[in-house]
Amino acid sequence: MTVEPGIRVGQDSAASTSDASVIERSWEKPEAFAVLFDRHADSVHRYAARRLGTEVAEDLMAETFTTAFQQRFRYNTELADARPWLFGIATNLIGRHRRAEARRLKAIGRLPSAAPADGSEDPVADQVAARVSAQAVRGELALAMARLPARHRDVLLLVAWADLGYEEVARALEVPVGTVRSRLHRARRKLRDALGGSDPTAFPEESEESDDE
């Protein structure tokens, strides 16, 4: 797909139709898949931009929907909401850029506390630390995030930025819900330790039920 986010590619004649129904309709009418793009391209683009920067985000968003289109026959249409599936594809693609993401976080960590990450209005650490008032925490948080294992960072950011629930993250990453809770618990603990006890996350934490690291 080459359409940029924010540009409508087709009118959704049934706005209340589920994502699953759109995907199923696209099996016989491929052009119907444009509705899914129209609904979710912006959010996937924002997620990619926050993780990798705006330069990479557009290509990654386009690749996410190209991959989804190619894999649409495998989608479980009992799942009405396709967001976990789309964010799972995007996260897998981001996995090819682990070093670039870590470099970006470290670069943010070296910026003066008042400086934005890349000229955007929502730099990486500002999003994760939305409830932290001290601007100085941004650099420390970015550096702490760079040190997180990739699998922990994925869970943390799917919750914080993609706004997915635990079960949705489990679907996105194809892991048990207990693993999601465990990874999120460990990620938050490491961030708290790095920030001297401050909790930069803006979501509740459920009990851990897995020994997965």
Side-chain angles (χ1 to χ4, degrees):
M1 291 201 175
T2 58
V3 180
E4 296 181 0
I7 298 178
R8 297 191 63 84
V9 294
Q11 296 296 323
D12 187 354
S13 58
S16 61
T17 302
S18 70
D19 292 340
S21 296
V22 170
I23 294 170
E24 187 170 12
R25 188 164 68 246
S26 77
W27 294 348
E28 294 185 359
K29 297 182 177 180
E31 65 275 12
F33 197 83
V35 173
L36 200 71
F37 181 93
D38 200 36
R39 288 178 178 177
H40 302 301
D42 284 345
S43 58
V44 172
H45 186 275
R46 284 194 298 270
Y47 174 71
R50 289 168 181 170
R51 294 199 63 169
L52 297 175
T54 55
E55 298 83 0
V56 179
E58 186 173 344
D59 287 343
L60 193 140
M61 178 273 294
E63 189 174 358
T64 294
F65 281 90
T66 297
T67 301
F69 180 78
Q70 294 169 344
Q71 297 180 358
R72 69 191 189 280
F73 296 102
R74 295 160 49 188
Y75 185 77
N76 180 0
T77 54
E78 293 182 1
L79 303 172
D81 185 1
R83 290 182 312 127
W85 179 55
L86 293 171
F87 281 111
I89 293 171
T91 300
N92 286 337
L93 294 173
I94 287 169
R96 302 176 183 175
H97 303 270
R98 294 297 186 197
R99 292 182 180 179
E101 182 179 33
R103 286 197 300 269
R104 183 169 187 264
L105 288 168
K106 291 175 182 178
I108 292 169
R110 293 191 293 269
L111 289 174
S113 60
D118 54 9
S120 64
E121 295 180 357
D122 54 348
V124 170
D126 280 350
Q127 292 299 313
V128 179
R131 294 190 178 181
V132 179
S133 59
Q135 289 290 325
V137 79
R138 178 192 298 150
E140 296 175 10
L141 178 57
L143 291 173
M145 287 176 58
R147 291 192 291 267
L148 288 176
R151 60 188 180 278
H152 293 177
R153 189 163 61 240
D154 285 343
V155 169
L156 176 71
L157 298 184
L158 282 169
V159 174
W161 289 346
D163 197 26
L164 298 184
Y166 289 10
E167 291 187 1
E168 293 173 321
V169 173
R171 282 168 46 196
L173 299 180
E174 299 182 341
V175 298
V177 174
T179 297
V180 171
R181 292 172 178 151
S182 177
R183 292 179 183 178
L184 182 59
H185 173 78
R186 288 176 170 83
R188 293 183 67 188
R189 184 180 61 196
K190 290 176 182 178
L191 294 184
R192 284 194 297 265
D193 291 345
L195 298 175
S198 298
D199 188 351
T201 54
F203 44 85
E205 182 177 350
E206 299 180 16
S207 59
E208 54 182 314
E209 297 181 1
S210 171
D211 293 329
D212 178 89
E213 291 291 336

